Each structure stands twice: as structure tokens, then as C-alpha cells.
């Protein structure tokens, strides 16, 4: 504990020792910044800074108009917040004759410090002998008492302010001892230790500590600024004013070391007896609770008379000007600041640094060139005769719908869904056909019945089969997507899944396990052979069923057998339905590549079925039909040319148009073919439709190719100096061996741009296809025309025969 003592005012020679600690306002004061002050009250201290005092009323009323245009004072911002939990404590004062509660008795009870006993005794002796108190420099031999006192008191002559003590968080206690005569006061001042007893006459005096103060003195708390209303005690029976809210109220509760309840919210205060506590101060005014906003300020002056302010300020804003909300301590409203919302965990916009998630990275978008498609139309001025005629109201054209399109209308009669999309009803019928054909295989049905019988709680075969049926139907779309995707990427048949494709799916989905008893690589190969086995060689499916690859219904059987081998047989479950669910959720869902889960209906709804694409196909309908007819090929075994476009014919068309390149690989070209087909319910009876594209499907496949190619727009070609898209392709093929970073910007590979309308990219791609099919290497400079391309396609169709 520090022993600095400051004396704010010198004692005059006419004052005696009894008046040294007088409690009157005119008495001189001494304060100790170590935590205890023996002095009189300072009721006038607050008047120097109080805004509402009478001496500052004229300044308040005559405030210039310029103050109305300033921003909120810094004091308002400084004091706004949890002010009630941070009250300013001026001092702790002795509460004489008060009966306090048990909590206050424990927290607000203190003893006088024993360290200042000799210093205060020396000061009392000095006043009694010389009649004055002065602090001589240390080492002055003329006045040993004064020099010793000055050395012990230090060089501070002023009372430490409340702001220096952290707003009262460092305690300062004011104790006023009882008045005594000088003859009896000096012996008590000279008492060597606190707590000794003093004899005064024949009676035994009560125990006294330093300067006659009783041990364990109870304290009152004086708030800043000091007023009569801000001296608060903790009596057992509070006054009526404290109960009804007309007087200030102070709540005090102890802070236990180590507790974290309010540690990060509000500061604690150190009490005179060394304990720690929290305060909550209610000054009894509405300003603490309600935010009082100032009225709108007047307009700025535009002339000298307006700026001189010849009258009083506006009465409606006078109160707000004199005392803005929260500016008069300690009446500060509590305004909790809410926490900021957490930053998102992913970027939803194309930002420059997508892998960083700091605040500065959100909204920092990539700078990309905005591509616009401009359609130039020639306007011809015509001279017409003006005649007055009755105008007929034109009918408002209804919005375009796919049902009105002559291009897509054939799907209503060609597709098994009898619509423009693959419907859930059509998918249900397709699953039932596949499941019935799989269950007709005796070995598959026997296997499911055997697994049900071997379980600890077997059920009827029909019930068990119904559970397996419902589970497989639940994940049928996922299973069918895997069957469609994994046969692609090779030159083999994409409508059957071979052993190599089946093994690739097992590796992606992590189904095979070298340490397992039933799903080792060799076990999985055996399951493939068992599922592919066709017992009835006279069955109609033999004609279209490859004996070395799985069809769709056989793939369903393989999935069920894999589920039983990996999770069934009492390894993790005895239920076949549960095993199928575990295989789909734990292996197929996370393992199947995301591109395989592409829904064909999404592209049709969002990109394909638009009026612009419909008009573009109508414009080139004759030439597109000629191309579709010219590339139809005969079956591999010979015979007449087919009326539909099969996979080999589709790939031949893309090769003739030089569309297979780095932007469009073999697997992507095959997926465009497969996703453009409408669902076929029975893959055995309707295998010819299942493996081919109708003309409407062919148009959808071309649109999917245009989406993946992302060719440059006409404006980009013109800016780069190309006359047409074919010249650009020739230049790109000539520079195909160069690294991509060394190519000009117009020749670099472009990512798929889903923001550009489909019809814009489709128009460029069709233009490239037409020019490439009509190009004659022997006449490279021959001009292009649609009629020339149409003649080339008709000649090719005639050469291939019927």
C-alpha cells in the first residue's frame, strides 16, 4: 500500500489540533491516495464541472447557433454504453450510527491503516507547537519534525482525482474521527499500534484504532459528482425514496476471484478492505433508460444577420442542446452493442480469392469482361400515304410456352412420358419393368429368400421382398445415373456396363475391400458374372443383351448382391433392405462422381425450352433435317439404313464438324447423346429407341454440345480480326501445339459460360458446323452459303443409299 499523502490546503496558525479533522466545509483537507483520506467533505467540488449549476445558466441559454450544426460531442460517444455498470465512485465515507445489512457489513467494513500513525501524530504535534503546517525539504535540520514529515509524505500536495483512480475502481476512504481535546488527542495519535486500549478516567474506554476511529467502521459510498443525493448507505431498512425510485439506488455484489460470469463484460471495483465487487447504479432519472434524440437542426445561415443570433435558440431543441443523452455524468444510458453476425462459410459470388474467407475477400469480385450480344437490324424508311382509318385493337401476344413450339411438340407422341420432360410416373414404370425382369431370374429370387430365412428374425418372403423393392425404388434414380455414366469414355457399347466399367465404379465408391471376406476384387468379379448370367437362351432379351456386359435390370441385381456381400450376412445387418440402404448412402452417394448426377430435366427447363432457341431452330430447320438424314448409318451387321441416329453416327457427325477437341472430349460427347434421350420404360422391347436419337433428341444434343463448347461470340471474333468462326477454328488448330499460356486470348480454352444465353452460343456453333460440313479443301476460298451446305448434305445422303 502506497504511503503518499497530499495536503490540499495549508493550516493556519490560528487553528488547533482539534480542528485538523473538522467536518465543516471551511476546514482544510488532507487526502491519501493509498486508499484512505482523513479530511472533511468536498460538497462543492462538483460545482466546477456541473452543467446544471446556476452560474452556467447564462452560458447554457446563450449558446451560439454554430453548436447546433456540430456532430455529437466526443463526451457523448465516450459515455454511451454500459454506464450503469461503470459508475464513478468519488470516495468511501464513514457511516456513523448506521445499522447495515449483513452483505454490506462484510463488504463495506474497514479499519484505519496503521502505516500512517506516526506521520499523522507528527503533523498534529507540529500544528500544536508552531500553529502552522509546512512541508520542508527532506534533510532540513532546523525543523526535524517537519523535514521527517515531508520525507514521508512525498511531494504530492493535491488530492488524487477520481479519473486517476480509474473512475473509483481504486478505493479511497474518508474517515472522520470524533472530536477531542488537544490534550487527549495527542496521546491517541502517538499510540504505537492500531487496536490498543486507552484509559480515560476510571472507566474503561472502548477499543479505538488510529485517531479514535472504531475498529471495523462501516462505510457509505459517495458517487461523482458529489451531491447530497449521491451519498448512498446500505441500511437494513432503506428509505421510502429508495424504494419508489425517487432517489438514486446502488446495487453491490461481491466478485469472487476466478469467476467468469461478468469478467469480460464489466469491470470490478476494489473495496477499501481489499475485496472485489461489482456495482449497478440507478440514478433515478428517465434519461438513463430512454434515448432523447435532438430535433432537426436549423438551416445554416446564408447572411450576416442570421449568423449573429439575435434571439434565443429554439425552445424545442433547448433541452437537447443543454444536455444531450448520455453527456452528463453519471447519467449514461446503457446501450449494448450486438455482436456481428458470423461470416459465411462459402462464397456465392465469383470472387478473386475463393479459398479465403476473411471480411475483405467477400464482395471482391473477379474482373470479367461483360459479353453482350447485339443484333443489328436494318431500318428502311418508307414513304406512305396517311389516311384516316379506324384502328383495330391488336391482340396482345401471349407469352411463349413450350407447348406452342412446333419444334418440341413431337415429344408428346414419341416419348414414353408423353410430355416434354421425364416425369416421375414414367420413372416408376421404368423401375417396375426392370425390377420385374430381375426378379424373374430364379437365382436372384432364391438368394433374397435365403438371406431372409437365415436372419434371426425372419419375416414372410413377400414382406421381405416388398421391403427390398421399396428401398431399391428409393435410390433408383441414383443407381440409374451411375449406370448411365460409367460405361462412357471408351469406344465400347455405352448402353451396357462392362466389367472394366463395373470395376471403375467399385473403386470410386470404395465398395471392394481386400480385407473383407465377401467383397474382395475376385468376389466382385464373381458377382458381376452371376448377375450377367442369362439362364434362358430363348428369351427375347438375348438378342439385345450382351453376354459380357450388364443391362439396366442386371445392374439392379448386381447392386443388391453387392449390398448383401458388403453389409449383410450378419456383418452389420441381417436385412437385405437395410444393406441396400447402407450401400447407397455410404458408398454410392459420396462415391459417384458429381457429373454423373446431372439431371437432364434441369437443362431443358433452364436453358433449352426458350423462345430464342425455338426461333433459331426454325430458321435452320431444313438444313438440320438434311444433316440428320445424311449421317444415318446402316447397322453394324448390315442391312438398310436406320431411320434414327445412333451413337456411331453421332460421333461421326462431331468428327466431321471438327467439334471433338479439348473443349469436348469423347465422354462428354457420349453424355450429350445419353442425356438428350427421353426415358424408355422397357429397354428390351424398345431397345432400338433406347440406343438412338430421334430428330428432336438430336436438336437437344446439339444444344448440349454448344453449352459445353463455349465458343467466342461474333463481337469477339470481329475484335480479334476474324471474318468468320471457321477462320478462327483454322487458326486454333494451327496453334494447337502451343502451351495455353502463350496463345492469344481469343484462342485460349474457355470455361463453360452459363451466364450467356444458350441461343447465342448455339448460333455460333451451328454456323461453325455448317461452314465445316460445306468446306471443300480443294476450293478453300469459295464463299459459304446455306444452299451450298444443303446441296452437300443431300449429295451425301444420296451416296449412302436408302
Amino acid at each position: 500500500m502506497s504511503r503518499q499523502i497530499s495536503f490540499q490546503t495549508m493550516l493556519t496558525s490560528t487553528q488547533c489540533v482539534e480542528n485538523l479533522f473538522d467536518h465543516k466545509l471551511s476546514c482544510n483537507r488532507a487526502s491519501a491516495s493509498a486508499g484512505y483520506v482523513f479530511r472533511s467533505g468536498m460538497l462543492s467540488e462538483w460545482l466546477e464541472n456541473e452543467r446544471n449549476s446556476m452560474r452556467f445558466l447564462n452560458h447554457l441559454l446563450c449558446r451560439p447557433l454554430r453548436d447546433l450544426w456540430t456532430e455529437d460531442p466526443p463526451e457523448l460517444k465516450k459515455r454511451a454504453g454500459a454506464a450503469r455498470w461503470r459508475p464513478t465512485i468519488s470516495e468511501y465515507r464513514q457511516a456513523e450510527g448506521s445499522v447495515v445489512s449483513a452483505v454490506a457489513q462484510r463488504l463495506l467494513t474497514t479499519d484505519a491503516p496503521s502505516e500512517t500513525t506516526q506521520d499523522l501524530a507528527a503533523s498534529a504535534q507540529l500544528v500544536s507547537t508552531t500553529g502552522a503546517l509546512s512541508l520542508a525539504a527532506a534533510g532540513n535540520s532546523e525543523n526535524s519534525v517537519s523535514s521527517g514529515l515531508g520525507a514521508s509524505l512525498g511531494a504530492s500536495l493535491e488530492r488524487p482525482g477520481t479519473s486517476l483512480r480509474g473512475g473509483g475502481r481504486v478505493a479511497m476512504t474518508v474517515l472522520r474521527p470524533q472530536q477531542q481535546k488537544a490534550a487527549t488527542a495527542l496521546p491517541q495519535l502517538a499510540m504505537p499500534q492500531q487496536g490498543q486500549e486507552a484509559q480515560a478516567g476510571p472507566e474503561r474506554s472502548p477499543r479505538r484504532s488510529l485517531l479514535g476511529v472504531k475498529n471495523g467502521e462501516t462505510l457509505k459510498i459517495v458517487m461523482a459528482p458529489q451531491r447530497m443525493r449521491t451519498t448512498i448507505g446500505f441500511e437494513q431498512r432503506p428509505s421510502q425514496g429508495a424504494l419508489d425510485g425517487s432517489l438514486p439506488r446502488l446495487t453491490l455484489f461481491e466478485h469472487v476471484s476466478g469467476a467468469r460470469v461478468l469478467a469480460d463484460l464489466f469491470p470490478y471495483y476494489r473495496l477499501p478492505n481489499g475485496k472485489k465487487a461489482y456495482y449497478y447504479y440507478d440514478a433515478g432519472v428517465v434519461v438513463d433508460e430512454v434515448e432523447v434524440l435532438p430535433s432537426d437542426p436549423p438551416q445554416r445561415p446564408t447572411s450576416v444577420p442570421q449568423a449573429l443570433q439575435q434571439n434565443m435558440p429554439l425552445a424545442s431543441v433547448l433541452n437537447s442542446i443543454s444536455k444531450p443523452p448520455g453527456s452528463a455524468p453519471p447519467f449514461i444510458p446503457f446501450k449494448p452493442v450486438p455482436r456481428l453476425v458470423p461470416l459465411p462459410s462459402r462464397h456465392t459470388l465469383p470472387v478473386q480469392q475463393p479459398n479465403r474467407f476473411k471480411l475483405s475477400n467477400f464482395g471482391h469480385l473477379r474482373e470479367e469482361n461483360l459479353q453482350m450480344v447485339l443484333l443489328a437490324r436494318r431500318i428502311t424508311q418508307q414513304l406512305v400515304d396517311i389516311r384516316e382509318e379506324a384502328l383495330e385493337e391488336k391482340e396482345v401476344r401471349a407469352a411463349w410456352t413450350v407447348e406452342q413450339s412446333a419444334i418440341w411438340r413431337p415429344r408428346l407422341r414419341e416419348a414414353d412420358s408423353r410430355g416434354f420432360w421425364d416425369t416421375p410416373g414414367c420413372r416408376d414404370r421404368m423401375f417396375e419393368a426392370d425390377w420385374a425382369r430381375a426378379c424373374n431370374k430364379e437365382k436372384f429370387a432364391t438368394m433374397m429368400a435365403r438371406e431372409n430365412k437365415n436372419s434371426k428374425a425372419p419375416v414372410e418372403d413377400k414382406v421381405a421382398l416388398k421391403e427390398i423393392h421399396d428401398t431399391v425404388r428409393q435410390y433408383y434414380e441414383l443407381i440409374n445415373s451411375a449406370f448411365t455414366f460409367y460405361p462412357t469414355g471408351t469406344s465400347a457399347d455405352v448402353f451396357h456396363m462392362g466389367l472394366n466399367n463395373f470395376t471403375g465404379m467399385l473403386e470410386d465408391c470404395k465398395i471392394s475391400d481386400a480385407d473383407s471376406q465377401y467383397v474382395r476384387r475376385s468376389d466382385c468379379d464373381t458377382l458381376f458374372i452371376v448377375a450377367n448370367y442369362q439362364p434362358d437362351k430363348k428369351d427375347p432379351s438375348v438378342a439385345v443383351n450382351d453376354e459380357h456386359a450388364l443391362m439396366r435390370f442386371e445392374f439392379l441385381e448386381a447392386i443388391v448382391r453387392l449390398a448383401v456381400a458388403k453389409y449383410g450376412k450378419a456383418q452389420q445387418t441381417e436385412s437385405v433392405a437395410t444393406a441396400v440402404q447402407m450401400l447407397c448412402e455410404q458408398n454410392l452417394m459420396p462415391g459417384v462422381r458429381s457429373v454423373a448426377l446431372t439431371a437432364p430435366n434441369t437443362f431443358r427447363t433452364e436453358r433449352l425450352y426458350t423462345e430464342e432457341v425455338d426461333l433459331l431452330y426454325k430458321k435452320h430447320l431444313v438444313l438440320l433435317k438434311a444433316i440428320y438424314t445424311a449421317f444415318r448409318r446402316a447397322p453394324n451387321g448390315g442391312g438398310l439404313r436406320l431411320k434414327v441416329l445412333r451413337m456411331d453416327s453421332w460421333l461421326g457427325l462431331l468428327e466431321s464438324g471438327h467439334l471433338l477437341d479439348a473443349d469436348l472430349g469423347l465422354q462428354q460427347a457420349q453424355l450429350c447423346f445419353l442425356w438428350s434421350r427421353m426415358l424408355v420404360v422397357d429397354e428390351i422391347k424398345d431397345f432400338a429407341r433406347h440406343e438412338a436419337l430421334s430428330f428432336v433428341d438430336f436438336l437437344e444434343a446439339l444444344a448440349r454440345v454448344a453449352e459445353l463448347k463455349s465458343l467466342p461470340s461474333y463481337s469477339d471474333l470481329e475484335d480479334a480480326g476474324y471474318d468468320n468462326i471457321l477462320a478462327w477454328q483454322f487458326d486454333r488448330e494451327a496453334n494447337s501445339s502451343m502451351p495455353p499460356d502463350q496463345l492469344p486470348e481469343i484462342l485460349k480454352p474457355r470455361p463453360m459460360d452459363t451466364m450467356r444465353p444458350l441461343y447465342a452460343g448455339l448460333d455460333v456453333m451451328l454456323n461453325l458446323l455448317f461452314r465445316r460440313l460445306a468446306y471443300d479443301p480443294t476450293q478453300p476460298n469459295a464463299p459459304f452459303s446455306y444452299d451450298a451446305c444443303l446441296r452437300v448434305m443431300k449429295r451425301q445422303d444420296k451416296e449412302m443409299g436408302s
Side-chain angles (χ1 to χ4, degrees):
M1 181 178 293
S2 176
R3 297 181 57 194
Q4 279 190 334
I5 299 178
S6 62
F7 290 83
Q8 297 179 351
T9 310
M10 295 298 178
L11 292 173
T12 60
S13 59
T14 59
Q15 293 173 320
C16 60
V17 179
E18 294 92 337
N19 294 331
L20 177 61
F21 301 104
D22 194 358
H23 64 281
K24 297 181 180 180
L25 297 179
S26 60
C27 181
N28 299 292
R29 304 183 297 264
S31 63
S33 63
Y36 292 84
V37 179
F38 297 92
R39 63 168 187 72
S40 62
M42 298 179 63
L43 299 180
S44 61
E45 178 186 3
W46 65 276
L47 292 175
E48 298 178 0
N49 299 320
E50 178 60 33
R51 293 173 175 262
N52 297 336
S53 60
M54 295 298 296
R55 58 186 294 190
F56 292 101
L57 182 59
N58 59 335
H59 296 285
L60 179 66
L61 297 178
C62 298
R63 182 171 297 182
L65 279 176
R66 60 179 174 80
D67 291 351
L68 298 177
W69 305 310
T70 58
E71 297 180 355
D72 294 338
E75 185 180 6
L76 175 61
K77 299 179 181 179
K78 179 180 178 182
R79 297 181 181 276
R84 290 194 172 193
W85 291 90
R86 296 182 176 90
T88 304
I89 308 299
S90 177
E91 62 188 31
Y92 296 88
R93 185 176 299 171
Q94 179 182 357
E96 300 177 356
S98 299
V99 180
V100 298
S101 61
V103 178
Q105 183 72 22
R106 180 165 55 88
L107 298 178
L108 295 178
T109 302
T110 184
D111 297 331
S114 59
E115 292 85 346
T116 59
T117 303
Q118 296 179 0
D119 296 335
L120 295 175
S123 63
Q125 182 181 0
L126 179 62
V127 173
S128 63
T129 56
T130 63
L133 179 63
S134 61
L135 300 178
N140 189 349
S141 61
E142 295 181 0
N143 192 342
S144 60
V145 177
S146 177
S147 62
L149 181 61
S152 63
L153 295 178
S156 177
L157 295 178
E158 295 183 357
R159 174 186 184 271
T162 305
S163 60
L164 298 179
R165 296 184 292 106
R169 285 188 285 276
V170 178
M172 180 178 354
T173 307
V174 176
L175 298 180
R176 295 185 180 83
Q178 299 176 355
Q179 297 185 9
Q180 307 173 28
K181 294 183 180 180
T184 61
L186 288 176
Q188 292 177 349
L189 290 173
M191 293 173 64
Q193 294 183 357
Q194 177 183 358
Q196 292 183 352
E197 297 182 357
Q199 300 293 336
E203 298 181 358
R204 183 181 179 89
S205 61
R207 294 185 62 185
R208 302 279 177 173
S209 63
L210 177 64
L211 301 180
V213 179
K214 297 179 182 180
N215 278 335
E217 290 293 343
T218 305
L219 304 176
K220 291 185 178 181
I221 300 176
V222 182
M223 311 301 296
Q226 297 186 25
R227 302 188 185 96
M228 295 303 295
R229 288 166 51 90
T230 58
T231 302
I232 301 175
F234 290 83
E235 293 82 1
Q236 286 187 345
R237 295 183 178 179
S239 61
Q240 183 63 29
L243 294 177
D244 59 14
S246 60
L247 293 180
R249 291 179 296 178
L250 182 66
T251 304
L252 167 68
F253 55 95
E254 185 176 0
H255 166 62
V256 181
S257 298
R260 301 292 298 172
V261 177
L262 297 176
D264 299 332
L265 297 178
F266 310 110
Y268 60 82
Y269 291 70
R270 188 176 297 278
L271 300 176
N273 56 7
K275 295 183 180 296
K276 302 174 183 177
Y278 288 105
Y279 285 113
Y280 181 80
Y281 181 56
D282 181 6
V285 293
V286 184
V287 179
D288 285 344
E289 298 289 348
V290 180
E291 182 179 9
V292 181
L293 298 177
S295 303
D296 296 335
Q299 298 180 357
R300 290 181 175 272
T302 57
S303 61
V304 176
Q306 293 180 358
L308 293 180
Q309 185 182 353
Q310 301 176 0
N311 51 11
M312 295 289 289
L314 299 177
S316 59
V317 299
L318 184 59
N319 186 37
S320 299
I321 296 173
S322 62
K323 195 172 184 181
S327 62
F331 308 109
I332 305 169
F334 174 44
K335 300 179 180 179
V337 180
R339 295 178 179 268
L340 294 177
V341 298
L343 293 176
S345 59
R346 63 186 181 89
H347 291 283
T348 57
L349 298 176
V351 298
Q352 291 189 1
Q353 296 177 332
N355 297 329
R356 297 187 178 181
F357 300 93
K358 295 183 178 180
L359 180 61
S360 57
N361 299 120
F362 287 92
H364 196 190
L365 304 181
R366 294 196 305 264
E367 296 182 359
E368 299 180 351
N369 295 330
L370 180 62
Q371 298 183 358
M372 302 180 64
V373 178
L374 301 180
L375 300 178
R377 296 181 179 178
R378 184 177 181 180
I379 301 177
T380 304
Q381 185 177 5
Q382 299 179 356
L383 299 177
V384 296
D385 296 334
I386 300 176
R387 293 179 300 175
E388 294 184 0
E389 295 180 357
L391 298 178
E392 297 181 358
E393 296 183 0
K394 295 183 179 180
E395 296 182 0
V396 178
R397 187 171 64 91
W400 182 89
T401 59
V402 67
E403 290 79 4
Q404 302 172 357
S405 172
I407 297 295
W408 309 111
R409 193 178 298 125
R411 279 189 165 172
L412 296 176
R413 64 176 184 275
E414 294 175 356
D416 286 351
S417 63
R418 295 297 184 262
F420 301 98
W421 293 273
D422 295 329
T423 60
C426 180
R427 194 174 300 276
D428 290 338
R429 290 187 286 120
M430 185 173 72
F431 166 74
E432 295 298 339
D434 292 344
W435 183 252
R437 186 167 278 113
C439 292
N440 286 337
K441 299 176 67 173
E442 182 179 357
K443 290 186 177 181
F444 180 52
T446 303
M447 182 273 298
M448 292 188 290
R450 182 178 63 252
E451 293 297 329
N452 174 49
K453 183 178 180 181
N454 294 336
S455 63
K456 295 181 180 180
V459 296
E460 294 184 4
D461 291 344
K462 292 183 179 180
V463 176
L465 188 61
K466 183 65 168 57
E467 292 178 355
I468 302 173
H469 168 276
D470 296 342
T471 304
V472 177
R473 177 61 189 95
Q474 181 181 355
Y475 300 99
Y476 179 69
E477 190 169 356
L478 171 65
I479 297 172
N480 191 37
S481 298
F483 177 79
T484 303
F485 174 78
Y486 280 97
T488 61
T490 63
S491 57
D493 184 7
V494 296
F495 305 101
H496 298 78
M497 179 177 287
L499 181 59
N500 293 335
N501 307 125
F502 184 74
T503 304
M505 185 202 70
L506 297 181
E507 293 178 353
D508 286 351
C509 300
K510 299 179 181 179
I511 296 178
S512 59
D513 187 359
D515 299 331
S516 175
Q517 183 179 358
Y518 302 107
V519 286
R520 296 187 298 269
R521 179 65 63 82
S522 58
D523 299 327
C524 295
D525 294 346
T526 303
L527 290 177
F528 177 88
I529 296 173
V530 172
N532 190 40
Y533 175 70
Q534 184 69 26
D536 187 5
K537 301 301 182 181
K538 297 181 180 181
D539 190 270
S541 62
V542 175
V544 295
N545 189 356
D546 189 349
E547 61 181 0
H548 301 294
L550 299 176
M551 294 196 74
R552 200 170 61 199
F553 74 95
E554 294 173 335
F555 185 67
L556 284 183
E557 177 184 351
I559 291 295
V560 176
R561 291 183 179 274
L562 283 173
V564 173
K566 188 170 183 63
Y567 297 106
K569 299 182 182 297
Q571 299 177 95
Q572 297 187 27
T573 181
E574 294 180 346
S575 172
V576 178
T578 305
V580 173
Q581 181 180 3
M582 296 176 65
L583 181 73
C584 293
E585 293 184 353
Q586 300 181 20
N587 298 98
L588 293 183
M589 280 186 179
V592 173
R593 301 179 189 178
S594 58
V595 65
L597 304 178
T598 302
N601 282 342
T602 303
F603 175 79
R604 295 164 185 161
T605 303
E606 298 179 356
R607 308 284 289 169
L608 181 64
Y609 292 154
T610 61
E611 184 177 8
E612 293 80 7
V613 174
D614 183 67
L615 294 176
L616 183 63
Y617 276 143
K618 286 181 179 179
K619 177 181 177 182
H620 305 297
L621 185 61
V622 176
L623 184 54
L624 288 172
K625 285 185 176 181
I627 294 174
Y628 179 80
T629 304
F631 278 90
R632 292 184 294 110
R633 296 181 180 179
N636 297 330
L640 299 177
R641 292 173 60 192
L642 301 175
K643 300 297 183 180
V644 291
L645 197 70
R646 299 176 59 186
M647 178 64 75
D648 54 349
S649 302
W650 166 253
L651 296 179
L653 171 62
L654 297 181
E655 291 176 357
S656 300
H658 290 254
L659 297 178
L660 290 176
D661 52 14
D663 296 337
L664 185 71
L666 176 62
Q667 186 178 36
Q668 292 175 314
Q670 291 172 341
L671 288 175
C672 289
F673 181 97
L674 296 175
W675 289 337
S676 299
R677 300 171 305 156
M678 300 296 287
L679 291 180
V680 177
V681 172
D682 196 329
E683 62 174 345
I684 300 297
K685 295 180 179 179
D686 298 326
F687 187 77
R689 287 196 301 116
H690 177 64
E691 66 170 354
L693 293 178
S694 66
F695 178 69
V696 179
D697 299 339
F698 168 71
L699 297 181
E700 179 178 342
L702 289 177
R704 292 182 183 271
V705 171
E707 183 84 343
L708 295 176
K709 290 292 290 183
S710 189
L711 298 171
S713 61
Y714 290 123
S715 59
D716 292 340
L717 295 173
E718 184 179 357
D719 294 340
Y722 292 102
D723 296 334
N724 52 69
I725 186 64
L726 184 59
W728 171 84
Q729 190 181 52
F730 285 152
D731 198 1
R732 188 178 185 183
E733 292 174 353
N735 295 275
S736 59
S737 60
M738 294 180 61
D741 55 346
Q742 298 181 7
L743 292 173
E745 190 67 27
I746 190 66
L747 299 179
K748 289 183 179 180
R750 297 165 175 257
M752 184 174 64
D753 186 7
T754 57
M755 301 301 295
R756 183 171 66 170
L758 175 62
Y759 72 89
L762 180 60
D763 189 15
V764 178
M765 197 273 293
L766 292 179
N767 191 1
L768 175 61
L769 178 64
F770 297 157
R771 289 178 178 273
R772 195 78 199 204
L773 294 177
Y775 177 72
D776 186 1
T778 59
Q779 299 178 357
N781 297 325
F784 167 77
S785 64
Y786 287 97
D787 295 337
C789 182
L790 182 60
R791 289 194 297 269
V792 171
M793 291 296 100
K794 289 183 177 181
R795 182 171 61 252
Q796 178 180 333
D797 181 36
K798 184 177 181 180
E799 292 174 354
M800 295 185 66
S802 57

